[in-house]
Amino acid sequence: MALLAAACRQGGAGDTSRTVIRFSGYAGNPAETDLMKKLVADFNAGQKEIKAVYEPVPGQYYPKLLTMLVSKTAPDVFYLDILYFEPFLAKGIMRPLDDFMAKSRLDRGVFIPSLIDAFSDDGKTYGIPKDFNALGLFYNKEAFEREHLAPPDATWTLDKLRDTAKALTKKYPSGHQQYGFALTHDNIDRYLPVARGFGAELFDAKGACAMARPPARDAMAYYSGLKLQDKAAIYPSEVGSNWTGDAFGRQAAAMVFEGGWLIPYLADSFPKVPYGVAELPRGPAGRSNFLFTVAYVIPTTSKQPEAAWKLIEFLTSEQAQRQVTFALPSRKAISARYAAARPEYKAILAGADYAQPYEFGPKGDRIKDRLGVAVQEVFLGAKEPARALADACEEIDRITKL
Amino acid sequence: MTRQRPRGSPFKLGEAIAGYTFLAPFLAVMALFTAWPLLQALWLSFHSYDLFSPARWVGLDNYSYLLTQGDFWISIRNTALYTAVVVAAQTVLAIVLALIMDQSIRGKTFFRVAFFLPSVTSSVAISLIFMFIFFKNGVLNQALAWLHLEPLFGWGGLGTPVDWLGDVKTALWAIMAQNVWSTAGFFMIVFLAGLQDIPESLYEAARVDGANPAQQFRHITLPLLRPTTFYVVTMGLIGCFQVFDQVYVMTEGGPLKATLTTAYLLYKEAFVNFNMGYACAIAFVLATIIFAITMVQKRVMGE
């Protein structure tokens, strides 16, 4: 054992003068992991003081991260989803970055305000956003042409979506079974934007769960009706997919609400599917969307926060952000240029304008799960929408007070 | 009462010292990695602890919360049903397979290996494969359609095929089937070994007395297999009560808690919700249940 350790030390002899820092993120999409590997290599080649080691985590990122944080073995820099910002803040995990930002003359203003604000609290900045995404209505151009339907545009409403989904649900003589829409039936990821389009709010002014009220109920009836009454929608698992984007790629569904991450996925796995992207349809109460964003943060347990900051500074620099292909960069200037060069991102960037961050407070992860159960109860016929939502709200109020 | 040699006589003591010296490495490892964590867990089960703030003494709160909380009882019900069905099915199937494999049939070695293979395969890999089998447009439904057996499951014609892992009524049964399939082969080997131990002379004597094969099985094979059966049932019980990986990979306890088992609930409370104290309490209740059932079973099977 000692011998092995000695051998290892010898192997890295050239780096002994360098400060070693560890950097972790989830290994979600291959394009992202590859870019991170490249960026970290660039960072290491660009200077001689710090050596960053990239340790992507496949699956179960947050349980692993929390366990590492507790055992004081957490990486010096890691990804933090907006969903976990408040839960982590409540536990006092992150180190404020304002001093570092001041020293490096990094101005908050270069980032899209809604993103950097999302990772700030009480005048302190705890994370530098790396990129962001929002949902768009992806539609299969060929499917629309086959049925002589006009493609979705800015005038679309949720009712129009429903009618079109019905018209697109068809079994073709070739044996190809096509559904109008693919949705998620065991979480709130597509239901909540619809519900907000109906005018629903997660919490009222007093902080009580407001999802048992009429707008949320009507939205649930609408959303589940796509599948249960119209039979015009499917869950991804029904066609052997594990997410709606994959069902869209397989052409089992002609329309889906998906994030910008579907664009590189289609290019890689389903290059022949002709698709377009429109804004999410308007609900009776207006438009809604989710803002998904991730930041780089430094935990208070890190022993080399200065070196960690250097890495963050590099990863969020213009030069690094220009290489992002799977999401929209968080710097204002680059993001605008990015979307201009890629028209398929236009609708997604437009959606980000009025999108609400994908976060639900200090107990957000549990609240999201509990509301997801209500969606599933309705879809599996265990409860009526009103009952399912009332039960969920009752428990959410309890979780909030915990 | 006869008077014994005085305790701690030099001879005895020396022997004891030598014995414990030889045992010491094992005892140290066991104390460090088994006894100490167990005590720690017991201590934690009386605390509220989220890993970040210091543990707070709550007495029996975790245990009383557990008894009043719906999820725990759902998990116990699921686990009990799962264990009853799987242990019964895998034991019977293993005996039947062992009896067949004990005959002189062609390709015996091939079948023995084929049946045994699942038990040396990673359960995660098997679970992933079974997910494909159980998908709505998966192999199972296609096979059923091909055999025109759809009406058996309430669909066919214009109805929709069963989403085995996505339906509250079928999900737990699908996981049971997977587990029976993957463990029966291992227990078959155990039974085969047990069968080889039964002296041929007993069967010969029975034949001379005019016993038919059914009677031989009932009065010779089964009774003499009892130690083996005890082992198989005990191992099956323990394994089933701790079922976790299949649930984790295939359903994550869903849909709607239909496959929420006690071990999975424990994992969720510990590593997702970070209620360490509560999770420890669940662990101790689960261990107590397994211990109690094994004791009852030992009595029943007359070991």
Side-chain angles (χ1 to χ4, degrees):
Chain A
M1 199 66 174
L3 231 137
L4 199 75
C8 285
R9 259 203 304 278
Q10 216 151 41
D15 295 328
T16 39
S17 54
R18 290 185 160 200
T19 312
V20 176
I21 54 167
R22 291 159 55 228
F23 160 48
S24 249
Y26 38 80
N29 94 47
E32 175 163 358
T33 320
D34 288 347
L35 176 62
M36 285 302 157
K37 272 186 205 148
K38 180 184 174 294
L39 288 177
V40 168
D42 288 352
F43 174 74
N44 288 335
Q47 41 76 43
K48 293 206 158 29
E49 289 80 48
I50 306 160
K51 182 178 172 2
V53 183
Y54 176 47
E55 300 172 350
V57 177
Q60 299 300 319
Y61 176 67
Y62 286 95
K64 173 156 186 182
L65 192 60
L66 282 163
T67 345
M68 286 196 292
L69 282 162
V70 172
S71 58
K72 310 242 186 314
T73 54
D76 302 281
V77 177
F78 58 81
Y79 281 19
L80 185 69
D81 272 281
I82 185 63
L83 174 64
Y84 289 93
F85 175 66
E86 285 210 39
F88 272 46
L89 191 68
K91 292 189 165 83
I93 291 170
M94 290 91 66
R95 161 188 278 275
L97 303 174
D98 304 275
D99 292 350
F100 294 131
M101 291 172 74
K103 236 184 277 171
S104 307
R105 304 232 172 81
L106 182 65
D107 181 19
R108 283 174 67 97
V110 301
F111 296 101
I112 296 172
S114 60
L115 300 182
I116 190 126
D117 288 349
F119 290 102
S120 304
D121 181 69
D122 203 15
K124 288 190 186 122
T125 316
Y126 290 91
I128 306 295
K130 75 190 244 294
D131 51 30
F132 71 100
N133 244 312
L135 297 174
L137 168 60
F138 284 73
Y139 60 96
N140 187 318
K141 285 184 177 164
E142 231 165 58
F144 274 73
E145 277 160 23
R146 255 197 312 261
E147 296 305 315
H148 309 289
L149 294 166
D153 56 33
T155 65
W156 266 43
T157 59
L158 287 172
D159 285 334
K160 176 85 178 161
L161 175 85
R162 188 169 190 167
D163 293 340
T164 315
K166 277 193 254 185
L168 285 168
T169 300
K170 239 180 154 169
K171 187 157 188 158
Y172 288 98
S174 64
H176 173 62
Q177 171 70 58
Q178 173 184 285
Y179 289 88
F181 193 65
L183 46 73
T184 62
H185 74 299
D186 51 5
N187 58 43
I188 58 167
D189 294 357
R190 304 295 174 263
Y191 162 67
L192 198 59
V194 168
R196 283 173 170 162
F198 271 76
E201 303 218 32
L202 203 44
F203 296 106
D204 64 13
K206 285 190 201 125
C209 175
M211 288 302 285
R213 296 177 193 176
R217 281 210 303 264
D218 296 346
M220 185 72 95
Y222 165 87
Y223 185 72
S224 59
L226 288 170
K227 157 104 188 151
L228 301 180
Q229 275 132 49
D230 304 349
K231 310 219 179 323
I234 40 158
Y235 327 133
S237 70
E238 290 183 274
V239 289
S241 298
N242 47 12
W243 60 299
T244 55
D246 187 69
F248 180 78
R250 289 167 186 233
Q251 314 209 29
M255 295 184 287
V256 286
F257 291 171
E258 268 301 343
W261 50 79
L262 181 55
I263 294 169
Y265 182 76
L266 288 174
D268 273 353
S269 306
F270 302 100
K272 292 206 184 93
V273 175
Y275 70 93
V277 190
E279 276 182 74
L280 294 195
R282 196 187 297 273
R287 288 188 191 281
S288 177
N289 207 320
F290 268 140
L291 183 67
F292 301 94
T293 177
V294 180
Y296 299 110
V297 302
I298 303 177
T300 49
T301 52
S302 169
K303 291 197 183 68
Q304 295 100 3
E306 285 85 13
W309 170 253
K310 289 271 180 260
L311 178 66
I312 294 186
E313 211 185 342
F314 178 82
L315 291 173
T316 54
S317 66
E318 288 203 23
Q319 175 207 348
Q321 289 232 319
R322 247 182 247 126
Q323 303 176 51
V324 173
T325 56
F326 40 84
L328 290 151
S330 54
R331 279 180 178 255
K332 258 193 270 184
I334 300 182
S335 203
R337 231 179 301 153
Y338 186 88
R342 295 176 184 76
E344 61 274 26
Y345 279 97
K346 223 179 100 192
I348 291 175
L349 192 63
D353 241 16
Y354 47 80
Q356 284 170 271
Y358 188 78
E359 64 91 24
F360 316 102
K363 303 266 196 266
D365 43 344
R366 294 184 71 176
I367 288 168
K368 170 182 103 91
D369 284 352
R370 183 56 191 91
L371 206 51
V373 170
V375 177
Q376 199 179 14
E377 284 169 342
V378 171
F379 273 95
L380 296 183
K383 286 178 189 168
E384 291 297 312
R387 179 85 259 139
L389 287 165
D391 289 353
C393 260
E394 200 179 302
E395 208 173 319
I396 286 171
D397 282 336
R398 201 162 49 229
I399 293 173
T400 326
K401 285 192 201 95
L402 272 182
Chain B
M1 209 166 97
T2 52
R3 195 164 162 78
Q4 290 186 335
R5 252 195 299 186
R7 269 160 204 257
S9 79
F11 176 68
K12 267 272 179 196
L13 187 69
E15 220 175 39
I17 289 175
Y20 281 109
T21 314
F22 281 120
L23 273 175
F26 168 76
L27 283 180
V29 168
M30 169 133 162
L32 190 63
F33 293 108
T34 308
W36 174 245
L38 263 175
L39 287 175
Q40 188 90 9
L42 183 65
W43 181 81
L44 266 185
S45 74
F46 299 108
H47 289 75
S48 164
Y49 183 43
D50 71 349
L51 292 177
F52 287 91
S53 23
R56 188 166 45 84
W57 175 265
V58 293
L60 288 171
D61 277 11
N62 283 328
Y63 290 93
S64 64
Y65 179 63
L66 177 146
L67 295 178
T68 53
Q69 196 217 20
D71 278 7
F72 176 73
W73 290 111
I74 292 173
S75 82
I76 287 288
R77 205 192 56 210
N78 287 340
T79 311
L81 177 65
Y82 178 89
T83 307
V85 173
V86 170
V87 171
Q90 80 191 6
T91 310
V92 171
L93 187 61
I95 291 192
V96 172
L97 285 177
L99 286 172
I100 298 172
M101 289 299 119
D102 205 31
Q103 313 296 314
S104 42
I105 50 166
R106 281 167 73 93
K108 194 162 70 176
T109 320
F110 167 77
F111 284 113
R112 282 186 185 179
V113 172
F115 288 134
F116 189 68
L117 261 185
S119 58
V120 291
T121 312
S122 137
S123 66
V124 172
I126 292 181
S127 300
L128 285 172
I129 292 169
F130 269 78
M131 279 177 78
F132 289 109
I133 294 179
F134 287 131
F135 267 143
K136 199 162 183 178
N137 56 355
V139 180
L140 178 60
N141 279 336
Q142 285 176 15
L144 288 174
W146 187 69
L147 294 168
H148 299 289
L149 287 175
E150 311 95 309
L152 275 184
F153 296 95
W155 51 281
L158 291 170
T160 55
V162 181
D163 186 2
W164 297 95
L165 290 171
D167 193 311
V168 180
K169 292 189 288 295
T170 55
L172 190 62
W173 294 88
I175 297 182
M176 287 176 188
Q178 190 255 59
N179 203 25
V180 170
W181 176 84
S182 60
T183 50
F186 174 77
F187 291 128
M188 170 197 79
I189 297 287
V190 178
F191 275 122
L192 262 176
L195 284 175
Q196 322 272 303
D197 275 350
I198 303 177
E200 184 54 35
S201 56
L202 290 178
Y203 290 106
E204 219 177 288
R207 273 197 298 275
V208 171
D209 288 344
N212 61 29
Q215 286 169 322
Q216 286 174 31
F217 175 73
R218 168 74 187 80
H219 295 287
I220 299 175
T221 314
L222 268 191
L224 287 175
L225 274 182
R226 185 177 277 179
T228 317
T229 316
F230 177 75
Y231 170 79
V232 167
V233 172
T234 311
M235 287 298 131
L237 278 176
I238 295 173
C240 285
F241 265 107
Q242 298 179 344
V243 59
F244 172 75
D245 21 5
Q246 290 90 344
V247 174
Y248 177 81
V249 175
M250 293 166 82
T251 58
E252 296 188 354
L256 297 182
K257 300 173 187 167
T259 60
L260 181 71
T261 62
T262 312
Y264 187 78
L265 176 69
L266 195 164
Y267 155 80
K268 242 190 107 174
E269 289 295 347
F271 295 103
V272 179
N273 296 339
F274 285 88
N275 294 326
M276 286 295 164
Y278 182 54
C280 286
I282 297 178
F284 272 93
V285 174
L286 181 63
T288 312
I289 292 175
I290 297 178
F291 182 73
I293 290 184
T294 314
M295 282 298 127
V296 169
Q297 179 217 352
K298 200 172 160 191
R299 174 110 354 135
V300 170
M301 294 187 70
E303 262 288 315

